[in-house]
Every structure is written in C-alpha cells, then in structure tokens.
Amino acid sequence: MKELLSLFEDYLLNNLPNSKTFHPYFEAALADMLKAGGKRFRPMLMLSVVKSNKGLLIRNSLPVALGLEFLHTYSLIHDDLPAMDNADLRRGFQTLHKKYDEVTAILVGDALNTQAFNLISNASLSNDIRIDLIKCLSSNGGIDGMIIGQAIDCYFENQKLELNQLEFLHIHKTAKLIAASLKMGAIISEYDLQTQEKLYNFGIDLGLLFQIQDDIIDETCSSLEAGKTTQNDSSKNSFVNLLGLDGAKKSADELALECINILETFDSNLKESLEELLLKYINRHK
Amino acid sequence: MKELLSLFEDYLLNNLPNSKTFHPYFEAALADMLKAGGKRFRPMLMLSVVKSNKGLLIRNSLPVALGLEFLHTYSLIHDDLPAMDNADLRRGFQTLHKKYDEVTAILVGDALNTQAFNLISNASLSNDIRIDLIKCLSSNGGIDGMIIGQAIDCYFENQKLELNQLEFLHIHKTAKLIAASLKMGAIISEYDLQTQEKLYNFGIDLGLLFQIQDDIIDETCSSLEAGKTTQNDSSKNSFVNLLGLDGAKKSADELALECINILETFDSNLKESLEELLLKYINRHK
C-alpha cells in the first residue's frame, strides 16, 4: 500500500498543473493545495481496486487517480472560501484566499474541476473506459452528488435536519465521491456491472461511516480541549447532535460491522487489496 | 439559422439541470441564468459547423451544444461574484449572488462546469468523438484557456498591459472558447484535422475581433451617455485605451477583413453556413 501511495505522490509532483504566463503567482497557487498533502484517500481507493485485478493498468490509471484528487481538492478550496467556511488553514497551510486573494481561490478551484476531466480524457485507456469514467465522476462530483450535498449543508447550517435528511446530505456531499472512486477502479479493471455496483454501494456505506466517525472525533476532541467553544458544534448538523454521542457510536459500530461483512463477500484479490487500505479506518472511532 | 436557434432553445428548456431535493431554491438557481437568454453564440457556432457537413447529427449534437452553454454560463456567474466584477445584473436579471446568496452562485457555477462534461459524455455520438470533444472543451475552457485569461484580467485590472499581453489575455479569456466551439463542430462533423485547425484559428481571430469591437462599443456608448463615469473604463485594460479609438477601429477593420477573407477559403457548405451566422457580427463596429 505504501508503494502505491508513493507511486501516486511521485506522479502528482511530476504532473502538477502548469500555466507559465506573466501572472506572478497563479501557477504556484494551482499547485499549493495539491502539494499540501492529505491522505490521498480517493486515489488510493481507486488504485487499490485496479491493483486487485488489472494491476498492469496501474500506471495508465495514475492520471485518473490524479483527476479524482483534483476534483476533491477543488471542492476543499471552494468550501474554504469566505462565503462558505471562511477557513484560514487547510492541512496546516494558509488557504488560497488567505495566502493570495479570493479571485485566485475561486479560479484555481474552477481550473482543477475542469482539469480533472482533461486528465481522464487524455489517459492511456480505451475510449469506452474513459467515457464511463467521465460519466461516473461528473455525475457523482456534480449536481447529483457533491454539489447538492454542499448546497444543503450550507443552507441548513443553523437548522436542525431530520435523520434521513442528514444522511442525504452526507451521502451526497461525501459518500458519493468515495463510492465513485471505488467504481472508477472497477471500470478500469473491467469488473462486471454487478461488482461495479456492489463496490459503489459499499463506498456509500463507507463514506457515511467516515462522516459519523468524524462527528464523533470532533465531539470527543472538543470536550477534551479546554477553552475551545463548542457552540459552533452544537448548531452544526452532525450525527452526534442528532443521535447523541452514544447513539452516534452505536450507529458507527453497526455500519463498521456492515462494512466488514461486505468486505468478506468480495473475491479474494479485491477483498485483500481493500482490507489493506481500509481496516485501519473502519474501526477508528473506537 | 433561426430554426437552429429555436431548436437549441427548445432543447435547453427541456434539459435544464434538475436537482429535486429539500433545498428550497437550488434547483431554480441552477436554471435561472440559463433561461435568461443571451445570443447562444457558442452553441450556434458549433451547430452551424455540424449543419455544414453531417446535418443529420444536429439532434445528437444538442447535448454538446448545451454543454458549451453550461460552461460559458458558469464562467459568467463566477465572473459576476463580489470578488470579481461584483455585478448586480446580468442579461437584465439579478445575478445569482444578489437574488440568492454567494454560496449559491459559487455552487451553481461549479455544478454547471462539471455538468458540461456529463452532458458530452452522455451524448449519442461515438466514443472517439466524445473523447475528442472533452479534450477540446477541458483544454480551452480550463487552465490553458479561459481560466488563465480571467486570472490575468483580474490581477492586472489597474495596471497597463503591453499589446501582446492584452492579446494574450483576450485570446485566452474569450477567443479560445469561441475557437473550441468551431472545432467541436468540426470534430462531430468528422472534418479532417487540417480543417479542424483552420476553424480553430479562425475562431481565435473572430474572438479577438469581438473583443476589440466590444471595447469600441463600450467607449462609444460611454461618451454618448451623459452622466456615466468613464473613470472605470480608462483604467481598464482595453484595446481602446491602449491603441486609442481610431487605432482600435483600424485594428478591428483589419481583423474583420481578415476574417472575411478566411471565410472565403472554406468549402462552400461550411462558408455558407458560417456566413449566415457571422456576417452581421463581423462588421458591427462600423
């Protein structure tokens, strides 16, 4: 798994978006958040699935994995904007609108969104595969996925949602892109449609589990850290606020068990490859 | 040409992006700027080229034409944001951040950008063609095209550029998407690569001509309309400010003549189809 990650990191550093012009800092700004690190979770999900079947295609899949990281990174840059989270820091670095200006943050996000599709369209994979990948990413990363989730998250920031609405929010905002990452690996590996869907649905559970875990971890930290206001957290639409800490933990336990059970039902190569990546995450809330 | 336009308008109205959720207005916001009108210039350029050769493919090309309009519309929505032009009105309607809020304007723009590629990937055209279309749109509408043009335009708002820098700005900000529209028509029509490139280069000239014309029209209007401050205009990087009104008119005349000459060299079907759309624009600065 470490090998796969360093393969991806090397590829990323050698394929940062470039734009050599007389603009004094736009090219640097394009690369900043990509170089800032992060778990590279979506590319790794995709590459792990590719590794399980058509491992020889891993090198050809790197531009697609990078496209996933571009799309995810653009969403973070726009989420951090003053009109949304107004965040000063991301992954320990200044956010783009803080380091440069808001125009730059908006345009770098826009550029990475578009460039994700440019990367996939230029990958050395069959046209059939590239088209299916673009359908999958544009549907789950767009109106029917990440964007509507983010729109709902922002609009209902201070209004309490029902449980099914909160699940809808997080399935769209987070889980769909995670599910798409697994499915895109399956598309490249030419797994049958049934396996593609099974991986996608597994990704939805996984994404939801991660969100509940994040909410639990947020709550636990904020109660330990003296001096940190928890007011923002209590008005936030989180699973902990809706279900209580114990209720959220119970939900996470159930979902973690379900994820482990589903993992057991995959073919041995796929199971092995995903377990190596995922087991440490699935029980991290305990 | 009117038929082609009303075919496109009907298609647009029947294929507005939908997102039926419990968000009170996101779906309406997605459609507002698309319904607000405009010349539909980019889709019409593309469809005019398709009409000239493989006219039977016009219906199958409509999702691609709509994708072009989505990409262009997202760029207007983001250009109007408070951090950029801070515009209250667009095409006679309130801008999205005025009517709703800034979050909505950012996210609607993001959604239309991604959805452009979803539309193309789902069009009933061969996979080869769809991949070439996505390469063309993502390259000209992204880092190497529209985005870097916009970044330069914003950064150098109050600094005088050299003529070659001003041309670079407008070739990237405006002309490349116009050139891509023509080339995308040629890709669908399966014109040879030489014709594709010729149409693309013609589009660059055309885009530049339109920009110089816009600058001339802006200047003429502002000097006619009493009470309108021209201070903003004089600090703007425009061809009129750099070349003077007469100089700009001379450049536009030369470029218009060049465009007309190039039109003459296209095959008769292509020439006829483009002339019908373009002649009224080419000399509009006179």
Side-chain angles (χ1 to χ4, degrees):
Chain A
M1 202 50 62
K2 269 190 182 166
E3 277 171 37
L4 212 53
L5 183 60
S6 68
L7 191 72
F8 178 74
E9 291 291 347
D10 285 351
Y11 185 81
L12 179 139
L13 289 177
N14 288 311
N15 290 276
L16 291 168
N18 55 56
S19 164
K20 292 218 183 310
T21 67
F22 53 97
H23 192 298
Y25 55 73
F26 196 72
E27 183 164 26
L30 278 167
D32 273 346
M33 279 298 135
L34 292 165
K35 290 191 296 187
K39 294 188 295 290
R40 314 300 190 191
F41 191 57
R42 290 151 195 81
M44 289 304 286
L45 280 171
M46 200 207 85
L47 293 170
S48 297
V49 177
V50 176
K51 185 181 148 203
S52 75
N53 192 24
K54 303 214 170 177
L56 284 174
L57 284 180
I58 281 184
R59 286 196 175 271
N60 304 39
S61 307
L62 288 169
V64 183
L66 191 59
L68 266 169
E69 191 67 8
F70 276 23
L71 198 107
H72 172 60
T73 303
Y74 115 71
S75 78
L76 300 180
I77 294 168
H78 281 189
D79 284 11
D80 286 340
L81 283 169
M84 297 202 221
D85 288 354
N86 196 20
D88 293 350
L89 289 174
R90 166 71 69 178
R91 296 170 174 168
F93 292 85
Q94 272 194 306
T95 49
L96 294 188
H97 64 272
K98 273 279 163 183
K99 182 171 178 185
Y100 307 102
D101 48 61
E102 216 179 317
V103 168
T104 301
I106 294 168
L107 292 176
V108 166
D110 290 346
L112 295 179
N113 185 0
T114 304
Q115 191 64 9
F117 298 101
N118 190 262
L119 281 168
I120 301 175
S121 69
N122 281 294
S124 295
L125 296 163
S126 81
N127 284 349
D128 286 4
I129 288 176
R130 284 184 282 180
I131 286 292
D132 280 352
L133 292 170
I134 290 166
K135 281 183 190 176
C136 184
L137 185 61
S138 61
S139 146
N140 289 286
I143 298 172
D144 296 327
M146 195 177 77
I147 297 291
I148 186 67
Q150 176 69 1
I152 288 171
D153 198 18
C154 290
Y155 182 80
F156 291 97
E157 206 182 347
N158 295 308
Q159 296 173 53
K160 203 163 184 169
L161 293 175
E162 305 289 323
L163 181 60
N164 63 340
Q165 292 177 317
L166 189 65
E167 282 186 356
F168 182 95
L169 186 172
H170 289 298
I171 284 174
H172 285 74
K173 183 176 174 183
T174 307
K176 280 195 162 199
L177 195 58
I178 286 174
S181 305
L182 288 165
K183 185 174 170 176
M184 287 164 74
I187 290 169
I188 294 173
S189 295
E190 301 190 84
Y191 278 116
D192 57 56
L193 288 180
Q194 202 188 343
T195 308
Q196 287 183 24
E197 277 316 291
K198 200 173 153 188
L199 277 164
Y200 183 86
N201 293 331
F202 173 63
I204 297 290
D205 284 346
L206 206 60
L208 216 45
L209 171 62
F210 290 165
Q211 187 61 51
I212 303 177
Q213 289 178 335
D214 277 346
D215 290 351
I216 292 168
I217 291 162
D218 273 2
E219 176 71 15
T220 321
C221 285
S222 56
S223 56
L224 284 175
E225 286 170 8
K228 189 179 168 188
T229 74
T230 53
Q231 198 124 35
N232 283 333
D233 293 336
S234 71
S235 70
K236 201 179 127 187
N237 267 302
S238 86
F239 286 98
V240 172
N241 288 332
L242 203 62
L243 304 172
L245 186 58
D246 287 342
K249 279 187 176 171
K250 191 163 165 278
S251 279
D253 284 345
E254 286 167 7
L255 211 44
L257 189 64
E258 196 183 313
C259 285
I260 288 170
N261 286 339
I262 297 172
L263 266 179
E264 288 297 323
T265 67
F266 285 116
D267 287 346
S268 59
N269 280 351
L270 193 49
K271 178 185 166 233
E272 207 174 293
S273 190
L274 288 174
E275 271 182 357
E276 201 184 334
L277 178 67
L278 292 175
L279 282 186
K280 68 174 169 188
Y281 292 110
I282 288 179
N283 286 309
R284 71 184 166 123
H285 62 284
K286 287 187 175 171
Chain B
M1 204 49 61
K2 269 190 183 168
E3 277 171 37
L4 212 53
L5 183 59
S6 67
L7 192 71
F8 178 75
E9 292 289 348
D10 285 351
Y11 185 80
L12 179 138
L13 289 177
N14 289 311
N15 291 277
L16 291 167
N18 55 58
S19 164
K20 291 215 184 317
T21 67
F22 53 96
H23 192 297
Y25 55 73
F26 196 73
E27 184 164 25
L30 279 166
D32 273 345
M33 278 300 134
L34 292 164
K35 290 191 297 187
K39 294 188 295 291
R40 314 299 190 190
F41 190 57
R42 290 151 195 81
M44 289 305 287
L45 280 170
M46 199 208 85
L47 293 170
S48 297
V49 177
V50 176
K51 186 180 147 202
S52 75
N53 192 25
K54 303 216 169 175
L56 284 175
L57 283 181
I58 282 185
R59 286 196 176 272
N60 305 39
S61 308
L62 288 168
V64 183
L66 191 58
L68 267 169
E69 190 67 9
F70 275 25
L71 199 107
H72 172 61
T73 303
Y74 116 69
S75 78
L76 300 179
I77 294 168
H78 281 189
D79 284 10
D80 286 341
L81 283 170
M84 298 201 220
D85 289 354
N86 196 19
D88 293 351
L89 288 174
R90 168 68 70 176
R91 296 169 174 171
F93 292 85
Q94 273 194 304
T95 48
L96 294 189
H97 65 271
K98 273 278 166 187
K99 183 170 175 186
Y100 307 104
D101 47 61
E102 216 179 315
V103 168
T104 302
I106 295 168
L107 292 176
V108 166
D110 290 344
L112 294 178
N113 184 359
T114 305
Q115 191 64 10
F117 299 100
N118 190 261
L119 282 167
I120 301 175
S121 68
N122 281 292
S124 295
L125 296 163
S126 79
N127 284 349
D128 287 3
I129 289 176
R130 284 184 281 179
I131 286 293
D132 280 352
L133 292 169
I134 289 166
K135 282 183 190 176
C136 184
L137 184 62
S138 60
S139 145
N140 290 285
I143 297 172
D144 296 327
M146 195 176 77
I147 297 289
I148 187 66
Q150 176 69 1
I152 288 171
D153 198 16
C154 290
Y155 182 82
F156 292 96
E157 207 182 348
N158 295 308
Q159 297 174 54
K160 203 162 184 172
L161 293 175
E162 305 290 322
L163 181 59
N164 63 340
Q165 293 176 318
L166 189 65
E167 282 186 356
F168 182 95
L169 186 172
H170 289 297
I171 285 174
H172 285 74
K173 185 178 174 182
T174 307
K176 280 197 163 199
L177 195 59
I178 286 174
S181 305
L182 288 165
K183 185 173 171 177
M184 286 165 75
I187 290 169
I188 294 173
S189 295
E190 301 189 83
Y191 278 116
D192 57 53
L193 287 180
Q194 201 190 344
T195 310
Q196 287 183 24
E197 278 317 291
K198 199 174 154 186
L199 277 164
Y200 184 86
N201 293 331
F202 173 64
I204 297 289
D205 285 347
L206 206 59
L208 217 44
L209 170 63
F210 291 166
Q211 188 60 52
I212 302 177
Q213 288 178 335
D214 277 347
D215 289 351
I216 292 169
I217 292 163
D218 272 3
E219 177 70 15
T220 321
C221 284
S222 57
S223 57
L224 284 174
E225 287 170 8
K228 189 178 168 188
T229 74
T230 53
Q231 197 125 35
N232 282 332
D233 293 336
S234 70
S235 71
K236 202 180 126 185
N237 266 303
S238 86
F239 286 97
V240 171
N241 288 333
L242 203 63
L243 304 172
L245 186 58
D246 287 342
K249 278 185 176 171
K250 190 165 165 276
S251 278
D253 284 346
E254 285 167 8
L255 211 43
L257 189 64
E258 194 182 316
C259 285
I260 287 169
N261 287 339
I262 297 171
L263 265 179
E264 288 297 323
T265 67
F266 286 116
D267 287 346
S268 60
N269 280 350
L270 193 48
K271 177 183 168 236
E272 207 175 290
S273 191
L274 288 174
E275 272 183 356
E276 201 184 335
L277 178 66
L278 293 176
L279 281 187
K280 67 174 170 189
Y281 292 110
I282 288 179
N283 286 310
R284 72 184 165 122
H285 62 282
K286 287 188 175 170

